[in-house]
Amino acid sequence: MTKMKKILAVGLASVLAVSFAACSNGADDNASNGSTDAAAAKTGYAVVSSISEVEATTLTIDSVCAAVLVDADGKIIDCKIDEAQTKPDLATNNGDVTDLRTKDEKLEDYNMKGASPIGKEWYEQIDAFEAFAKNKTADEIAAAVGEDGYPTDADLSAGCTINVSSISTAVVNAVNNAQNLGASTNDTLKMAITTEKYYESNETNLQYDSNYAVVTVDSEGKITSCLIDASQAKCSIADGAFTVAEGTFATKKELKEDYNMKAASPIGKEWYEQAAAFEKFAVGKTADELAAAVGEDGYPTDADLSAGCTIIVNAIVDNVVKAVNK
């Protein structure tokens, strides 16, 4: 080997040694500070809806939505819970709702602190439930609630004393529904609910629609997984009287073929099928990119989106954007 080649060989060996040392030091740092490597995580949600307290002028529509991020062992990494409680004013015969915010959005305005034995508002007690749910399995969540719907676990009841029957059911179902949709354990889980009132059929039918959006977002603000759904509470008006079916009711996704829009669809797809196309399109997008894919008329303008989704999506997009920006 010539002198020049020896110098090059020694130099290269030195560079490799320094590089190896740097990598070793980095590995030690990760070992001491915790690895930043992210594993795959499952995203899930569930909605529990019911209509109750139907009297001459009183109607309550409740929809609890729970979203979860779940690890490979079935344990909850993060949990989000909210509830749309819609109370139409039937006395005026137009079903007006003065406040369509969710319970979490109302914060102190929900005004239950005075009746709480622990002096906590609804959103504060839900914060406690969400914190309790972390690192729990579906079975452990179910076991923390009694048959009467109230918490039985001491840690949970220390911060949450409300009836959580629908809430725990929604969380358990969300875990059991969770799927690998592109999220990782490093992503941030977010959720939004938006409720609106509509008239149908020349104002002879009232409809209260709630849109649900569950997303996971990475450090760059891009959606890594997306789930959407909607529920419709319908009331008919005849001779000045409201008629509505009490009890639980399903979301559009749960209705599947029974939602019955396939025949009217230009691409022959049901709502849940078009929702799946929207969810797939949303992955990898930012909130701004998603908003840009919809025209002023509410229909998709992006060719990739409109290939599988031709319904009006402005309310859906607005709610997904709302979730991402939380």
Side-chain angles (χ1 to χ4, degrees):
M1 182 181 289
T2 66
K3 184 177 181 181
M4 180 62 72
K5 288 182 177 178
K6 286 181 180 178
I7 292 172
L8 289 173
V10 171
L12 180 59
S14 298
V15 170
L16 290 174
V18 172
S19 298
F20 180 76
C23 290
S24 297
N25 289 336
D28 289 341
D29 290 341
N30 285 339
S32 61
N33 297 329
S35 174
T36 58
D37 292 339
K42 295 180 178 180
T43 312
Y45 83 101
V47 179
V48 177
S49 295
S50 64
I51 300 177
S52 60
E53 300 180 19
V54 178
E55 299 173 1
T57 61
T58 306
L59 175 62
T60 301
I61 305 165
D62 279 314
S63 290
V64 175
C65 184
V68 293
L69 193 62
V70 182
D71 69 14
D73 297 321
K75 291 187 176 181
I76 297 171
I77 300 167
D78 200 3
C79 176
K80 302 295 181 186
I81 301 163
D82 204 351
E83 182 174 349
Q85 188 176 72
T86 309
K87 295 185 175 182
D89 178 7
L90 307 186
T92 58
N93 212 32
N94 60 9
D96 280 343
V97 181
T98 56
D99 193 345
L100 287 169
R101 291 179 296 169
T102 66
K103 287 186 178 182
D104 190 61
E105 290 169 339
K106 289 176 181 176
L107 296 175
E108 308 297 334
D109 290 341
Y110 188 63
N111 197 29
M112 65 160 272
K113 184 180 290 188
S116 167
I118 56 173
K120 298 290 185 182
E121 260 301 341
W122 190 91
Y123 76 92
E124 295 173 303
Q125 299 201 37
I126 290 304
D127 285 347
F129 192 105
E130 292 171 345
F132 173 81
K134 292 180 180 179
N135 297 316
K136 302 288 192 304
T137 64
D139 288 343
E140 289 171 330
I141 294 294
V145 180
E147 292 183 2
D148 60 358
Y150 287 92
T152 53
D153 184 279
D155 290 334
L156 177 56
S157 58
C160 180
T161 59
I162 59 175
N163 190 299
V164 292
S165 178
S166 295
I167 292 166
S168 61
T169 297
V171 173
V172 168
N173 290 347
V175 174
N176 292 333
N177 293 339
Q179 304 174 61
N180 284 311
L181 300 173
S184 78
T185 53
N186 280 355
D187 294 336
T188 302
L189 178 70
K190 302 187 178 190
M191 181 182 74
I193 306 174
T194 303
T195 301
E196 296 180 286
K197 169 192 165 184
Y198 296 94
Y199 278 113
E200 279 191 337
S201 306
N202 298 320
E203 300 191 1
T204 60
N205 290 300
L206 269 177
Q207 184 170 304
Y208 303 91
D209 286 6
S210 290
N211 277 297
Y212 313 96
V214 174
V215 295
T216 51
V217 181
D218 68 15
S219 59
E220 296 178 348
K222 291 185 177 181
I223 297 170
T224 56
S225 67
C226 177
L227 290 164
I228 61 169
D229 207 345
S231 59
Q232 295 178 324
K234 296 185 177 183
C235 312
S236 64
I237 309 170
D239 300 324
F242 286 82
T243 305
V244 65
E246 290 188 70
T248 60
F249 59 98
T251 67
K252 290 183 180 181
K253 269 190 179 176
E254 290 170 333
L255 288 170
K256 286 189 174 292
E257 308 299 332
D258 289 338
Y259 188 63
N260 198 28
M261 66 160 271
K262 184 179 289 186
S265 167
I267 56 174
K269 298 289 186 181
E270 260 302 340
W271 193 93
Y272 75 92
E273 296 173 304
Q274 299 200 39
F278 181 96
E279 292 165 348
K280 184 177 180 180
F281 174 81
V283 173
K285 305 290 189 303
T286 63
D288 289 344
E289 289 170 336
L290 199 57
V294 181
E296 292 182 1
D297 59 357
Y299 287 96
T301 53
D302 184 281
D304 291 335
L305 177 57
S306 57
C309 181
T310 59
I311 58 176
I312 295 177
V313 293
N314 58 321
I316 293 170
V317 170
D318 288 348
N319 198 46
V320 173
V321 169
K322 174 181 173 182
V324 173
N325 289 334
K326 273 194 166 184

